[in-house]
């Protein structure tokens, strides 16, 4: 079993407050806890982006097929500005978004880059007005199109330094989610024409013209040729004229029995033997989180729920989910498990709290991993602590609903 990474600290974890005393400490799940201040209002400020791009404290997290650059299996690795110039050029932010729209050419591959934000822990880093910190960018170096040769060169340089492309934590999650969204939305949903990434990678727009019709030898020289007008598109009119990244809310819930002595667990057919987890599903339009929790549990396991309490959340960049963790309690008459509705689960069962407590100690692992030392064959297996399901179950056995003690 591979080593499990440390979980992030919650914001202001040591701060005493009325809310902490009443509800317990905040829980921070894996893929959360990023130290980055996103300063989203500066994404259209190209002079800011240009300056941040070239600063000595700036770090570039490179992705190849959505896997980030890393040193070993658990530590992210970063490239410098000079190392990425071969693929991004001297300054991709030297022109305004308006100029980029005017000069848009659908035959030229533009390396996808995302401005992630500033790490304000670095007080000696980059300064811009009242903002200080080390800038972070995510850059897709997957070889493709007209940047294939340059991308291969950058990859070769990184690999020669002993780096490889693997998975990672919070900063990786932000970059992956945005790169994946850009890659999945190369065309306008309204008119089907190619789109252009703007706003430092957080928006896509449908340009009104395309330089692709101009002879390539004429580009950069004096020419009377004009870019062709693209078909009319509703996204260029009115207020909602841009495409924004999506986040799909997903509920995941640890259900405790009416007597608070058991937990509802389910398993899918493809999972390892004895491996169970909490129940989960997508929120549907015009549905509250509490309603989604009750619906999903009834559809998958036939169990009826009473009170639903939000516990914590977890960004899950596969591709763009926000896991909303809840703890709920079954109604006294609604505990019978019925699997005849939604066929998603192979089996569901009520597990005693002591069985869950033991499994959290010796039976956690990823789906493709061996059980840890101390596990006895046939015992309950559960998700690792990097999964919000683990945190929900830990809260339940720790008395979250019974009032025995706070988290």
């Amino acid at each position: 079993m591979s080593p499990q990474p440390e979980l992030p600290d919650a914001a202001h974890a040591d701060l005493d407050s009325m809310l902490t005393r009443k509800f317990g400490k905040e829980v921070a799940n894996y893929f959360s806890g990023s130290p980055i201040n996103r300063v989203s209002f500066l994404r259209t400020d190209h002079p800011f982006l240009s300056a941040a791009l070239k600063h000595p404290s700036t770090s570039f997290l490179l992705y190849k097929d959505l896997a980030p650059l890393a040193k070993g299996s658990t530590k992210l690795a970063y490239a410098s500005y000079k190392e990425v110039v071969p693929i991004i050029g001297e300054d991709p932010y030297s022109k305004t978004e308006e100029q980029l729209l005017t000069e848009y050419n659908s035959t030229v591959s533009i390396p996808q880059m995302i401005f992630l934000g500033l790490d304000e822990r670095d007080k000696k880093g980059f300064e811009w007005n009242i903002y200080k910190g080390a800038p972070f960018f995510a850059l897709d170096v997957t070889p493709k199109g007209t940047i294939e040769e340059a991308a291969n060169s950058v990859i070769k340089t990184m690999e020669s330094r002993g780096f490889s492309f693997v998975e990672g934590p919070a900063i990786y999650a932000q970059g992956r989610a945005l790169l994946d969204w850009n890659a999945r939305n190369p065309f306008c949903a309204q008119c089907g024409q190619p789109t252009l990434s703007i706003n430092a990678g957080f928006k896509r727009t449908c340009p009104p013209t395309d330089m692709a019709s101009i002879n390539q030898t004429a580009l950069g020289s004096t020419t009377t040729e004009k870019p062709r007008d693209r078909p009319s598109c509703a996204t260029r009119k009115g207020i909602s004229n841009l495409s924004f990244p999506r986040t799909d809310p997903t509920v995941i819930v640890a259900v405790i029995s009416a007597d608070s002595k058991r937990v509802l667990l389910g398993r899918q057919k493809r999972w390892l033997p004895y491996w169970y987890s909490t129940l989960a599903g997508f929120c549907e339009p015009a549905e509250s989180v509490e309603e989604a929790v009750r619906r999903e549990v009834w559809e998958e396991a036939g169990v009826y729920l009473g009170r639903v309490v939000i516990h914590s959340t977890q960004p899950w960049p596969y591709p763009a989910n926000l896991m909303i963790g809840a703890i709920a309690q079954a109604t006294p008459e609604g505990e019978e498990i019925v699997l005849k509705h939604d066929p998603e689960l192979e089996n569901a069962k009520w597990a005693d709290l002591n069985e869950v407590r033991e499994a959290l100690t010796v039976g956690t692992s990823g789906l493709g991993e061996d059980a840890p030392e101390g596990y006895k064959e046939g015992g309950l297996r559960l998700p690792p602590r990097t999964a919000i399901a683990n945190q929900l179950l830990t809260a339940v056995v720790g008395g979250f609903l019974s009032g025995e003690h706070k988290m």
Side-chain angles (χ1 to χ4, degrees):
M1 177 181 173
S2 60
Q4 295 189 25
E6 294 296 324
L7 296 180
D9 293 326
H12 311 294
D14 298 324
L15 180 66
D16 181 45
S17 70
M18 177 273 291
L19 290 177
T20 299
R21 292 192 295 272
K22 185 173 181 62
F23 298 105
K25 290 185 177 181
E26 181 177 330
V27 175
N29 290 291
Y30 195 65
F31 289 134
S32 66
S34 173
I36 298 296
N37 180 347
R38 301 192 181 198
V39 288
S40 60
F41 44 85
L42 293 176
R43 290 172 187 156
T44 56
D45 189 336
H46 278 213
F48 161 77
L49 293 172
S50 291
L53 187 79
K54 303 173 185 177
H55 196 268
S57 67
T58 300
S59 298
F60 294 82
L61 180 55
L62 310 184
Y63 292 75
K64 177 186 175 185
D65 296 320
L66 297 179
L69 189 69
K71 185 176 183 179
S73 60
T74 59
K75 187 175 181 179
L76 295 177
Y78 299 92
S80 66
Y81 167 70
K82 290 184 178 180
E83 290 169 327
V84 300
V85 164
I87 189 170
I88 68 172
E90 292 293 330
D91 186 0
Y93 300 116
S94 62
K95 297 178 180 179
T96 66
E97 288 185 353
E98 291 74 16
Q99 288 176 303
L100 294 175
L101 280 171
T102 301
E103 300 174 6
Y104 176 70
N105 187 337
S106 60
T107 64
V108 177
S109 302
I110 301 175
Q112 185 62 59
M113 186 161 58
I114 312 292
F115 172 62
L116 301 177
L118 301 174
D119 185 350
E120 295 177 323
R121 297 174 301 178
D122 188 346
K123 300 301 182 182
K124 297 181 180 179
F126 175 65
E127 293 187 27
W128 186 265
N129 296 329
I130 62 173
Y131 311 106
K132 298 180 181 180
F136 277 75
F137 289 83
L139 176 63
D140 186 2
V141 296
T142 305
K144 54 189 173 184
T146 57
I147 61 171
E148 181 175 359
E149 185 177 346
N152 280 323
S153 175
V154 171
I155 291 171
K156 185 176 180 180
T157 298
M158 294 297 107
E159 291 179 341
S160 69
R161 294 169 54 188
F163 299 146
S164 58
F165 292 88
V166 298
E167 283 195 7
I171 296 176
Y172 146 76
Q174 182 189 358
R176 187 196 192 282
L178 269 297
L179 290 174
D180 188 35
W181 171 74
N182 276 277
R184 288 171 182 264
N185 293 272
F187 301 105
C188 177
Q190 177 68 30
C191 69
Q193 296 288 311
T195 53
L196 174 68
S197 180
I198 59 172
N199 199 240
F202 280 77
K203 298 178 184 177
R204 296 192 71 88
T205 188
C206 184
T209 60
D210 193 338
M211 299 283 282
S213 59
I214 297 179
N215 189 318
Q216 294 300 300
T217 59
L219 291 175
S221 61
T222 302
T223 176
T224 58
E225 291 190 73
K226 295 182 179 180
R228 67 173 175 84
D229 291 330
R230 304 214 300 181
S232 176
C233 181
T235 65
R236 303 190 202 113
K237 304 173 183 178
I239 298 176
S240 301
N241 58 350
L242 296 167
S243 175
F244 295 87
R246 62 182 293 169
T247 295
D248 300 326
T250 306
V251 295
I252 181 167
V253 56
V255 177
I256 194 168
S257 59
D259 62 6
S260 302
K261 295 181 179 180
R262 296 164 296 151
V263 181
L264 179 65
L265 299 174
R267 63 169 279 108
Q268 297 181 15
K269 187 176 182 179
R270 63 185 179 85
W271 291 355
L272 297 168
Y274 316 115
W275 206 94
Y276 282 76
S277 185
T278 53
L279 276 56
F282 287 102
C283 283
E284 294 192 348
E287 183 177 50
S288 72
V289 170
E290 292 83 358
E291 289 169 337
V293 167
R294 293 188 180 98
R295 174 183 55 78
E296 281 290 341
V297 171
W298 178 81
E299 288 179 354
E300 294 184 7
V303 172
Y304 290 88
L305 301 183
R307 184 75 166 95
V308 176
V309 178
I310 306 300
H311 172 269
S312 61
T313 60
Q314 179 180 36
W316 193 255
Y318 303 103
N321 295 345
L322 176 63
M323 307 294 292
I324 304 171
I327 296 176
Q329 195 156 22
T331 62
E333 301 81 17
E335 294 183 347
E336 181 184 0
I337 294 174
V338 179
L339 300 179
K340 66 181 181 181
H341 307 304
D342 188 334
E344 181 174 343
L345 297 181
E346 177 190 51
N347 186 35
K349 68 176 185 177
W350 288 102
D352 182 81
L353 288 186
N354 288 329
E355 181 184 8
V356 174
R357 189 176 288 110
E358 181 181 2
L360 288 170
T361 303
V362 298
T364 64
S365 69
L367 273 174
E369 299 176 339
D370 294 331
E373 185 177 352
Y375 171 77
K376 295 181 180 180
E377 186 66 20
L380 177 65
R381 297 184 64 176
L382 296 171
R385 62 180 179 176
T386 53
I388 190 172
N390 182 292
Q391 299 300 310
L392 296 175
L393 293 171
T394 298
V396 165
V397 301
F400 182 83
L401 288 185
S402 68
E404 293 175 11
H405 66 265
K406 301 292 193 301
M407 292 179 290

